[in-house]
Amino acid sequence: MTKNSKSTENNNNKIIEKIRIFDTTLRDGEQTPGVSVNAEQKLKIALKLDEIGVDAIEAGFPVVSEGEAAAIKTIVAQGLKSEICGLARTVQSDIDAALKCDLKYIHTFIATSDIHMKYKLNMTQEQVIDRAIWAVDYAKKHGVQVEFSAEDATRSDRNFLIKVFKEAQSAGADRIDIPDTVGYATPDYITNLVKEIAFNISVPISMHCHDDFGHAVANSIAGINAGASCAHVTINGIGERAGNASLEEFVMALHCLYNKKTNIVTEKLYETSKFVSNAMGIIVQPNKAIIGENAFGHESGIHTHGIINNPLTYEPISPELVGRKRWLQAGKHAGAHGIKAMLGDFGIKPSEEELKEIVTTQKNLADVGKSITTAELLSISGHIMGNTKFEEKFKLQDFHIVTGQNITPTAVIRLHTGGKDYITSEVGVGPVDSALKAIQKIAVEVANIKIREYRLDSITGGSDALAEVSVKVEDKSGNVVSARKSGADVVVASVQAMMDAINKIMLRKILQSDNNNH
Ligand code: KIV
Ligand code: ZN
């Protein structure tokens, strides 16, 4: 190792109080195949990122288009708390485009691996160094903060990489960044690499890790533990190919497992994830850590039993810490404790015998492949307990929908409630819209219940993709209830989720009025 003669203190000696979060959702995240967000959405996402407390927002790559540059300029003009940064290659046109956006912070990069220099840049090591020095110097002469990245750093010759970073530092770079561009590194490799870079460099070091082998978060953390003070991350881990290190996983691991702090308001993680997922049209897989739908859901009897006694048994993070709620699910793995707790949520207290029968009945249904909604569980319980109060208040009798080209999608719905049938029809922008509007028409008329939110996710790919629908409904007294349903037919799943939500809110109302009367 050669110690940087210029610096008195290298990164190995520094005590880092808070880990800096550099969010690149709007740059690397937008490079996710098939994703493009307009200026209005970019601004909305930037405002959310500022609200959640990221230290820096990489708002985009100014030179790529006029629209991109205009969107970045608008974000800069907001005067947000987060620093706003723009990406530029080490060429004048890119840096000028960034300066024209009024950016005060430029992230400039050039590749340093043999494979990139030979097959992409067609440049020698000397030419790469000259270009890096020129770009940092040029940007610094314009009075901006400069972060310098050596693209494909983890596949670069180690001595050459350190030389490039030292030269960038001498040219005035305020920060250097170590990209694991193709997600090739392992945590051990990163530890060793970052320790050596930290020994030679005194300006702060960032990590920029991709997830091609699923190591992005682990590599970012290894970098932090070896002397880096910042990580480039994205909401939901979106980004080129397999994506970047996910902000929510990185931050929660730092806070909970490594006792390190960030400025992130963790309670806003879930809503930010949902917001970005909707704005960018990228679905979050259900089993994704922290923000996946199932991350705080429990079905197995053993687990729900533990959770009920003490949530720490099966929840390493309490859901509220990341803005979420735990939920229990009926099903074949569910046990008496879980079902009892689910019913208890509605104030329903079956006897031991009744509970046994309820559990067996719902397990039998699950065994034949039926996924049981909460309203169905309540209805089963009502039937077994001889209490019609718990029965589904709205029963779907039948529905049909006409849709196609040059035809207005129209749904006809027949529901049974309060001892009589209601038939109604509605038109909509599509089959789901017309069906939900028709159900809502009856729900509003009978009980003043309206849809508040509808969300559709595709769980699998292909034309036979499994869809997951979630519907939130509200009533006049401010009760809000949500229900989820998955199935291959989007319309049927949507109708079932809507019916479940309406029945759940009806039951809530009944139990509330019972409590008020006692
Ligand atoms: O992955 C990468 O190398 C990048 C650079 C532009 C930093 O995104
Ligand atoms: Zn990247």
Side-chain angles (χ1 to χ4, degrees):
M1 276 189 209
T2 49
K3 190 159 180 347
N4 182 1
S5 54
K6 275 190 144 192
S7 74
T8 47
E9 185 195 19
N10 64 31
N11 278 285
N12 292 143
N13 303 330
K14 286 183 187 157
I15 296 168
I16 299 157
E17 295 285 340
K18 258 192 192 167
I19 303 306
R20 175 177 162 92
I21 302 296
F22 177 106
D23 183 281
T24 181
T25 304
L26 290 174
R27 200 280 296 170
D28 219 322
E30 209 199 340
Q31 286 174 224
T32 302
V35 167
S36 169
V37 281
N38 63 30
E40 198 189 331
Q41 287 168 318
K42 255 192 182 250
L43 175 60
K44 284 188 181 159
I45 294 174
L47 295 175
K48 280 269 172 205
L49 294 171
D50 184 55
E51 209 180 292
I52 202 176
V54 305
D55 300 285
I57 297 173
E58 186 165 45
F61 198 169
V63 83
V64 297
S65 76
E66 279 176 19
E68 174 86 342
I72 296 169
K73 200 168 174 168
T74 310
I75 294 171
V76 173
Q78 305 304 306
L80 302 178
K81 214 164 147 240
S82 313
E83 294 176 66
I84 310 300
C85 178
L87 185 68
R89 287 168 299 179
T90 48
V91 295
Q92 187 173 346
S93 51
D94 282 33
I95 299 176
D96 286 345
L99 294 169
K100 267 201 202 145
C101 295
D102 302 330
L103 284 159
K104 296 282 171 284
Y105 182 6
I106 292 177
H107 172 202
T108 188
F109 74 100
I110 188 162
T112 50
S113 66
D114 289 348
I115 190 160
H116 276 235
M117 289 190 291
K118 181 168 177 196
Y119 293 103
K120 191 183 77 174
L121 298 175
N122 198 16
M123 286 167 81
T124 62
Q125 290 191 343
E126 289 67 34
Q127 287 169 322
V128 165
I129 289 193
D130 286 350
R131 186 73 79 71
I133 295 173
W134 175 85
V136 173
D137 181 59
Y138 181 73
K140 282 309 293 177
K141 283 197 174 122
H142 286 83
V144 297
Q145 181 184 172
V146 176
E147 179 149 348
F148 171 78
S149 274
E151 191 190 13
D152 210 14
T154 52
R155 292 194 298 176
S156 302
D157 174 83
R158 183 77 60 98
N159 290 333
F160 175 58
L161 179 66
I162 290 172
K163 195 168 171 197
V164 175
F165 280 144
K166 279 181 166 181
E167 293 289 358
Q169 176 175 273
S170 299
D174 301 281
R175 303 173 174 278
I176 62 118
D177 172 51
I178 307 173
D180 183 25
T181 302
V182 294
Y184 158 87
T186 60
D188 287 348
Y189 182 87
I190 291 283
T191 302
N192 183 282
L193 174 71
V194 177
K195 273 191 179 156
E196 190 166 348
I197 293 171
F199 183 79
N200 283 283
I201 294 292
S202 59
V203 295
I205 298 171
S206 306
M207 299 305 301
H208 178 108
C209 300
H210 278 273
D211 209 28
D212 299 67
F213 286 92
H215 280 162
V217 171
N219 284 342
S220 305
I221 290 173
I224 297 294
N225 287 335
S229 56
C230 171
H232 291 194
V233 291
T234 59
I235 299 288
N236 301 338
I238 59 173
E240 285 273 6
R241 305 179 312 281
N244 290 63
S246 100
L247 181 149
E248 48 287 341
E249 292 176 17
F250 176 70
V251 166
M252 291 317 293
L254 283 186
H255 288 202
C256 302
L257 307 177
Y258 293 90
N259 203 17
K260 290 197 191 308
K261 295 191 182 80
T262 68
N263 284 323
I264 297 298
V265 183
T266 61
E267 290 75 9
K268 288 183 188 264
L269 280 173
Y270 184 57
E271 65 170 74
T272 310
S273 153
K274 283 257 181 227
F275 188 87
V276 169
S277 166
N278 283 330
M280 295 214 167
I282 306 176
I283 292 146
V284 173
Q285 77 201 50
N287 60 326
K288 179 114 171 69
I290 319 287
I291 39 100
E293 277 320 300
N294 294 350
F296 296 96
H298 309 273
E299 178 186 318
S300 127
I302 298 166
H303 287 212
T304 44
H305 185 191
I307 285 284
I308 291 156
N309 288 344
N310 183 340
L312 286 175
T313 51
Y314 288 104
E315 277 174 2
I317 305 170
S318 71
E320 296 76 20
L321 196 57
V322 293
R324 304 206 55 181
K325 276 193 180 144
R326 106 176 28 98
W327 52 272
L328 306 178
Q329 168 76 49
K332 84 171 161 200
H333 303 107
H337 288 95
I339 299 291
K340 190 174 168 187
M342 286 176 76
L343 295 174
D345 248 11
F346 289 86
I348 300 170
K349 295 188 181 80
S351 67
E352 293 249 319
E353 275 312 298
E354 287 166 341
L355 182 63
K356 240 191 214 163
E357 206 179 328
I358 295 166
V359 173
T360 313
T361 310
Q362 65 89 35
K363 271 182 194 273
N364 290 344
L365 284 168
D367 268 342
V368 293
K370 191 160 174 17
S371 87
I372 296 123
T373 64
T374 309
E376 282 163 345
L377 178 70
L378 298 176
S379 171
I380 293 167
S381 311
H383 185 73
I384 289 169
M385 294 166 74
N387 191 340
T388 53
K389 213 193 267 182
F390 308 150
E391 276 179 5
E392 286 174 292
K393 296 299 161 211
F394 283 82
K395 279 207 173 80
L396 178 67
Q397 302 296 86
D398 51 64
F399 74 92
H400 78 260
I401 291 164
V402 187
T403 191
Q405 207 173 337
N406 299 329
I407 195 168
T408 308
T410 309
V412 180
I413 298 270
R414 188 158 65 98
L415 299 186
H416 187 83
T417 183
K420 58 178 181 168
D421 274 1
Y422 288 75
I423 302 179
T424 195
S425 66
E426 268 292 345
V427 295
V429 293
V432 171
D433 187 43
S434 58
L436 297 196
K437 274 186 179 156
I439 299 173
Q440 174 171 260
K441 201 163 154 190
I442 301 170
V444 167
E445 185 186 330
V446 177
N448 243 313
I449 299 169
K450 277 206 245 168
I451 306 180
R452 179 165 161 167
E453 211 177 288
Y454 170 84
R455 188 182 152 92
L456 169 68
D457 289 337
S458 161
I459 300 174
T460 54
S463 57
D464 58 351
L466 207 57
E468 182 167 287
V469 173
S470 58
V471 175
K472 234 179 218 172
V473 296
E474 63 187 337
D475 66 14
K476 247 184 132 185
S477 345
N479 287 313
V480 178
V481 158
S482 57
R484 301 174 318 137
K485 189 81 193 168
S486 48
D489 187 321
V490 178
V491 182
V492 173
S494 302
V495 165
Q496 287 177 343
M498 175 78 175
M499 293 304 301
D500 193 31
I502 293 175
N503 279 309
K504 275 163 81 173
I505 207 165
M506 285 301 288
L507 198 77
R508 221 176 262 298
K509 278 151 87 84
I510 293 165
L511 293 163
Q512 269 168 2
S513 82
D514 274 7
N515 285 344
N516 292 343
N517 294 338
H518 288 150

